[in-house]
Structures are given as C-alpha cells and as structure tokens.
Amino acid sequence: MFAREEEPINYTMNLLSIVGARPQFVKLAPFSRAVRGRGWNETIVHTGQHYNPNMSELFFDELGIPAPDFNLGVGSGEPGAQTAAMLEGIEELLLERRPDAVVVFGDTNSTLAGALAGRKLGIPVVHVEAGLRSFNRSMPEETNRIVADHLADILFAPTCKAVAHLDREGLSSRVFHTGDITVDAILENRKRAECNSTVLTDLELESGQFSLLTLHRPYTVDDPQTLNSLLNQLKELDGTILFPVHPRTRKTLETVRISVGDGGSITGNLRVIEPLGYLDFLKLMIHSKRILTDSGGIQKEAYLLRKPCVTLRPETEWVETVESGWNVLLPVESDDLADRIRGFQPSGEQPPIFGRNVSRQMMDAIEAGISPLGLKRDNELLAAER
Ligand code: UD1
C-alpha cells in the first residue's frame, strides 16, 4: 500500500536551456548531449543576441546541437532594452512550459535575463560557469555573472577560485565544483577539427607560423584610437597575425579604415577575416604559435591546448592560467606590447585546473538537487539526521 505513494523510479527531467551568444553555444553542446544521454527532455531557447549565421546557426550545425525550439530574435540594442526583450520572451515560455529547471550559461545579457525570469517564477535556476569574478565593475559581464549567481539555485563552479568566490559571497550551500564544461567541448571536437577543417590550406597558413588574434570587449574595441594603437603595436610582431573579426569590432575597424570585405584584408602582417565556425577556429588555435585575445573562453581553450596565451586586458577571471605561467596579462595601454609578447615563451607542467567528465557531474548534481527523487533522498537524509 505504501509503495504506491513512492516517487516513480524513472523521473524524466524537463530542462529549459537559454543561450544567445557564441560562447554559450559551445558550452551548450556537451551539456545538451549529456541531457539527451540521460533520456531527459530539453527545450532550447535562443534569445537571438547573436544572429549572424556564422556566429549562430553554424555553431548549432557543427556542434550537433538540436535546432533551438524557440528563437526570441531580440537582436542588438542597448543593454537594458536587449535584456528586457529577452526577459519578456523567456517569461512567456516559462509560464507555458513550466520546466523543472532553467539552465543559463556564462555571463552574457542572455544569462542575466534567463536567471531573472526563472527566479521570479520560482523555477529552479542552474548556472553553468558560476563564481567567476574579474573584480572589474565596468565590465557588463561582471554584473551579469554576480547577479546570475545570486539568483541561481545550483551553481556549477569551474575552478577552485570560483568556489572560493562563491563561498565568500555566502553561496556555498548551492555550489557544485564540477570543473569547466569547455573541457568536454574540446575533447569532443579536437579530432573532428583536425580531420574535417581545411582552414589551414584554405588560408595558406603553415602550422606554428602565425599568431591568432581575437578582440571584442567594449573596452578594447569601441574606441577607434585604442584599437588602432593596439593593432599598430601588434603589427611589429613577426609572422602573420590572423584576426577573425567580431561584428562589434568590425564597426570600429571601419572607422580606422581597415575593412574586412568578402575575402578579408591584409595590412602589413595583419590579416583580417570574417568570424569563423568552431571547428575552423579550434584548428587554428591548435596550429597557432600563440593566441592574443581579450576573450574569457579563449584563455582557457588556449590553456587546454597548451598554447601561450597573451590576454590583452588588465585582469582575468582565469587567474590560475596566469599563475601556471601559460597566460600573461598585458593591458592594451602598454607601449611595449610587441617586446613583451616576443619575450613570453611558457613551457613546463600545467596543473589540471579545469577538471574532467564535467557534464556527467552536472547531470548527477541536477538529478540529486532538482528531480523529485533527489529531493526525496535529501529529505530522507535530513529526517535521518534529526
Ligand atoms: C557578447 C557578451 C559577451 C561575450 C560575447 C561573445 C554581453 C554583455 N556580452 O558580447 O559576454 O563574451 O558576446 O561574442 O552579453 N552583432 C552583429 N551580429 C551578431 C551579433 C552581434 O552584428 O551576430 C553586433 C551587434 O550589432 C552589437 C554588437 O555586435 O551591436 C555587440 O553584440 P552584443 O550582443 O551586444 O555583445 P557582444 O559584444 O557580442
């Protein structure tokens, strides 16, 4: 008789994942694969923050992510209006679908909107890549990640430093130290990139003979003078500098008369091309001499691929990569960038900063923390302790 009141043995979780920008598609791929591996349901919502086909659809195709169930098509805008449009669209979907949890990734405006919409409706929020801090309040991402962490119910921390930040902010009871999901993304795609991408031949590049540059932070790219002076310094380096250009950066480049054009453009040793898909970009990272970037995600990809990384910022969220000697911080204001970059040649051991089997650990934690079975187990444990 009592057995009838037991929870069903196989509870099928219903998750709703929210993504909007390029780095989130990369994180979604292994996460979504693991969700499907458990036989759970996932609704994928694309906010439309990134909408150019080569910054969006291409990633879904290459990474084998199911097409989004919904695309809110919010597009560009001032941060408040952009986030508000996302919030409204996500709330409507959450009311209709009532998932067991909302999953948000990283630190973009889409992350903030998803976390806020879920919290307001009392739907558990899961934050993948929680606890990162740059301690630079002028970065929009810093606001997004702090707010998302405080709203979320389950925090997946990628590193020990991230765990420590969350502890300090009083959030330790919600933290799972899973490692970084990029580890799974690289493992899943490294061989595919090597075998399937023809980017080196297409661009007539020789392995180990070029630097790879990416820039997209407002602080680095919005002011034409800053961007121009940075590029002029980088051009002093030997060898080709390949620069796939983010749309934000493209706008400023045009004001300093560097055009991207269809086939790219070359100024001295700086070769400017359109943004690339993940497999081509991964292959270029693997074969580059060094990586120059202001991105967050690319710093850890460089580390995982054992590439020297020059971070063109005064601070980083991935402090451990700097401590290991494989990443160096060079603010764009420095006037001796080329010399310092030439002198940066890391070697030696790399501590395992980012963990392994990350998406599997995330699924276990979601099952334990959100499914009725997991919650029932928790209640039984609590009762036993009493
Ligand atoms: C966003 C994220 C950042 C992430 C980055 C990865 C925020 C606050 N920032 O920055 O954390 O590291 O994505 O790329 O969420 N644009 C296009 N086509 C596109 C996408 C953007 O032309 O497909 C243009 C828009 O006109 C916009 C500009 O690029 O003005 C910037 O886009 P936005 O979504 O505001 O932020 P990102 O700079 O891409």
Side-chain angles (χ1 to χ4, degrees), residues 1-282:
M1 182 172 124
F2 293 112
R4 280 184 180 281
E5 286 166 21
E6 294 283 304
E7 292 294 343
I9 299 296
N10 293 315
Y11 180 76
T12 304
M13 297 279 292
N14 286 301
L15 303 179
L16 187 142
S17 300
I18 295 170
V19 288
R22 204 165 48 167
Q24 293 171 320
F25 311 142
V26 176
K27 290 167 200 149
L28 175 66
F31 185 88
S32 184
R33 201 182 313 285
V35 170
R36 281 175 276 144
R38 297 262 163 149
W40 297 346
N41 299 321
E42 185 187 32
T43 303
I44 297 178
V45 179
H46 188 326
T47 60
Q49 179 170 357
H50 283 177
Y51 47 85
N52 285 11
N54 59 353
M55 294 189 66
S56 180
E57 280 105 310
L58 182 57
F59 282 71
F60 282 77
D61 290 347
E62 282 192 343
L63 294 167
I65 310 169
D69 298 279
F70 298 95
N71 190 323
L72 303 177
V74 299
S76 316
E78 291 302 322
Q82 190 187 49
T83 312
M86 293 174 188
L87 188 56
E88 205 175 335
I90 295 168
E91 184 175 69
E92 210 171 291
L93 287 173
L94 290 179
L95 284 168
E96 185 191 307
R97 299 244 149 184
R98 283 276 160 196
D100 293 308
V102 184
V103 186
V104 295
F105 300 80
D107 54 19
T108 70
N109 294 337
S110 304
T111 316
L112 174 63
L116 191 52
R119 179 75 260 132
K120 289 278 178 191
L121 294 175
I123 297 172
V125 176
V126 176
H127 186 197
V128 176
E129 202 179 76
L132 297 188
R133 298 291 180 265
S134 64
F135 302 100
N136 176 354
R137 282 167 62 84
S138 70
M139 283 174 71
E141 293 84 356
E142 184 76 350
T143 307
N144 291 343
R145 52 171 92 104
I146 291 174
V147 177
D149 282 342
H150 283 258
L151 294 171
D153 300 275
I154 291 193
L155 298 165
F156 289 145
T159 59
C160 296
K161 287 259 184 330
V163 172
H165 295 146
L166 294 166
D167 283 352
R168 209 170 308 128
E169 293 173 28
L171 302 175
S172 41
S173 64
R174 305 182 220 156
V175 177
F176 293 83
H177 183 190
T178 51
D180 196 296
I181 199 152
T182 307
V183 170
D184 293 3
I186 296 231
L187 262 181
E188 279 174 17
N189 292 297
R190 190 180 180 150
K191 275 201 198 116
R192 290 180 60 223
E194 284 284 27
C195 299
N196 300 342
S197 164
T198 57
V199 70
L200 286 185
T201 331
D202 298 346
L203 297 176
E204 296 174 358
L205 291 166
E206 260 184 69
S207 181
Q209 301 301 310
F210 62 95
S211 303
L212 185 60
L213 170 67
T214 81
L215 301 169
H216 79 277
R217 302 258 171 218
Y219 173 76
T220 329
V221 306
D222 284 3
D223 173 38
Q225 248 182 326
T226 308
L227 184 60
N228 203 23
S229 119
L230 170 63
L231 294 177
N232 282 333
Q233 287 206 59
L234 295 181
K235 281 194 270 181
E236 290 169 29
L237 291 168
D238 294 333
T240 298
I241 301 171
L242 188 70
F243 184 18
V245 171
H246 187 284
R248 175 171 209 119
T249 314
R250 180 185 189 132
K251 286 183 199 159
T252 319
L253 274 182
E254 278 161 7
T255 69
V256 296
R257 295 205 201 85
I258 298 180
S259 66
V260 184
D262 276 346
S265 73
I266 298 178
T267 325
N269 58 343
L270 184 70
R271 191 159 165 197
V272 185
I273 58 168
E274 294 284 355
L276 295 158
Y278 186 65
L279 295 183
D280 282 347
F281 192 75
L282 184 53

